[in-house]
Amino acid sequence: MSFLSRRELLDAAARLTALAAWPGGATADDYPSRSIKLVIPYTAGAAGDLIGRPWADKVAPLLGPVHVENIGGAGGAIGSAAVAQSAPDGYSLLLGNGSTKVTIPLSSAQPAYDTIRDFRAIYRLITSTLAFAVHPSLPVKDLRELAAFAKANPGGLSYGTPGVGTGNHLVGEMFRQQSGLAADLIHVPYRGMAAATNDLVSGQINSVIAVVSSQNLQLHFAGKLRLIAVTSDRRLSGAPEVPTVIESGMPGLRYAGWFGLFAPKATPDAIVVRIAAATRTAMADPQLQESYRSQGLEPDIDSGPDKFQRLVEDELVRLAPIVKSIGLKRD
């Protein structure tokens, strides 16, 4: 039997310590030992808050405190990049969506992050639909009339979105292309949807393309804005009078949005699985499901890391030629 020298023992101990400190060697045994930060890459009060904050509240008994931080700007790219650069330890998560994970990287010449290289998917929380909304003073009731108005009033139709390269912007450019509009449609990017909606209500802009939410449904029923089309296959149960883009003669505008949880790429499997399991438990709660459905959102109760990762990768492949064909560019 051979014995290790003191130096060999110290060297071995040092290697084990380094291995334990490396993210790939981490386990979920002691996770989490402190509060988790969820970055919502949009300004406070936008759709991201209506999705991320209820999740944070519901998952807290399972994972401990979740601190929500809004980091808006660049259509969600600034907050997303911040999480991509965070330590891969499970304490910095991102509430990402089709805009931040698909459209923005595809439409950027020098993206601040790479969806596949810098992130790993954890769980899709909800699916959503976008809506075309106009100021009540605009004499249009559907997409055909909206296109006709734009053609008859060059430069007179402006639409707000939460930023260049977002899914909202993508749908707007698809509308421009399919309606034969050129300079007749002006895109006005905002740091978040809340500011765009406020400007629509006050008449600073005359239309927006927004994620359907309880806020814009309430404004619609109050007559402060008018929803004229939704990008889903079916009409909304909460506003059945609003036609779909298919019924409006523009099936090519169908677009299903989603929001979900992401972590930095090197986050250990054990931690990702633990977050996903806690999220699945939280999503099974009827109260949380109802809070989402009341906002026009559909909760996903059967997601997971592998399933969600495949969806994101498929979306990148599917939308790449569309982004290229319409010349959508952020920089």
Side-chain angles (χ1 to χ4, degrees):
M1 180 181 296
S2 62
F3 294 90
L4 297 176
S5 69
R6 182 173 184 274
R7 169 58 61 186
E8 290 171 325
L9 285 171
L10 289 174
D11 288 345
R15 288 193 296 271
L16 287 173
T17 299
L19 180 60
W22 181 251
T27 70
D29 292 344
D30 58 352
Y31 174 85
S33 59
R34 53 188 170 89
S35 63
I36 298 168
K37 179 175 68 176
L38 174 69
V39 171
I40 296 178
Y42 299 104
T43 52
D49 275 15
L50 302 177
I51 298 161
R53 290 182 183 275
W55 170 83
D57 291 340
K58 191 61 66 175
V59 84
L62 304 170
L63 291 177
V66 178
H67 168 68
V68 176
E69 182 176 351
N70 293 90
I71 304 179
I78 294 177
S80 298
V83 175
Q85 297 162 11
S86 298
D89 54 12
Y91 292 102
S92 292
L93 305 178
L94 174 72
L95 181 69
N97 59 11
S99 292
T100 60
K101 286 288 155 288
V102 180
T103 316
I104 287 177
L106 288 176
S107 59
S108 300
Q110 294 181 318
Y113 55 86
D114 182 283
T115 296
I116 304 303
R117 182 196 65 214
D118 296 330
F119 291 95
R120 60 182 307 179
I122 300 175
Y123 198 104
R124 183 174 70 170
L125 298 179
I126 60 92
T127 56
S128 65
T129 185
L130 297 178
F132 285 77
V134 300
H135 190 270
S137 65
L138 208 65
V140 303
K141 296 184 178 63
D142 55 40
L143 289 182
R144 293 186 185 90
E145 293 184 358
L146 186 65
F149 176 87
K151 291 178 181 178
N153 300 273
L157 180 62
S158 56
Y159 75 99
T161 74
V164 176
T166 59
N168 313 57
H169 184 202
L170 175 62
V171 170
E173 291 304 302
M174 291 164 64
F175 174 66
R176 181 200 301 274
Q177 185 184 62
Q178 295 178 31
S179 300
L181 302 173
D184 308 324
L185 188 62
I186 300 173
H187 176 225
V188 184
Y190 286 80
R191 287 179 63 87
M193 207 60 236
T197 302
N198 288 339
D199 276 3
L200 173 63
V201 171
S202 65
Q204 300 299 309
I205 55 176
N206 46 26
S207 71
V208 299
I209 299 176
V211 172
V212 173
S213 67
S214 58
Q215 180 194 30
N216 50 41
L217 286 174
Q218 290 169 5
L219 292 171
H220 169 72
F221 292 124
K224 295 184 178 181
L225 59 77
R226 182 187 308 126
L227 300 180
I228 62 171
V230 292
T231 62
S232 53
D233 292 336
R234 294 178 295 179
R235 294 193 179 198
L236 301 174
S237 58
E241 72 280 5
V242 181
T244 68
V245 291
I246 301 172
E247 295 171 312
S248 302
M250 294 186 179
L253 295 184
R254 286 180 297 173
Y255 183 87
W258 47 262
F259 277 83
L261 303 173
F262 292 85
K265 184 69 172 183
T267 303
D269 290 345
I271 290 177
V272 168
V273 169
R274 181 153 189 171
I275 297 169
T279 300
R280 177 180 284 271
T281 299
M283 294 298 291
D285 188 298
Q287 185 179 21
L288 182 59
Q289 292 179 22
E290 180 53 32
S291 74
Y292 286 144
R293 291 193 174 106
S294 66
Q295 301 167 42
L297 308 170
E298 186 59 33
D300 190 340
I301 59 176
D302 187 30
S303 185
D306 292 340
K307 186 176 183 180
F308 190 21
Q309 185 70 35
R310 286 194 300 272
L311 181 146
V312 174
E313 292 173 359
D314 289 346
E315 284 284 275
L316 283 165
V317 173
R318 183 178 73 86
L319 291 179
I322 297 176
V323 169
K324 183 177 180 180
S325 71
I326 64 177
L328 183 59
K329 295 181 180 177
R330 288 172 46 82
D331 43 31

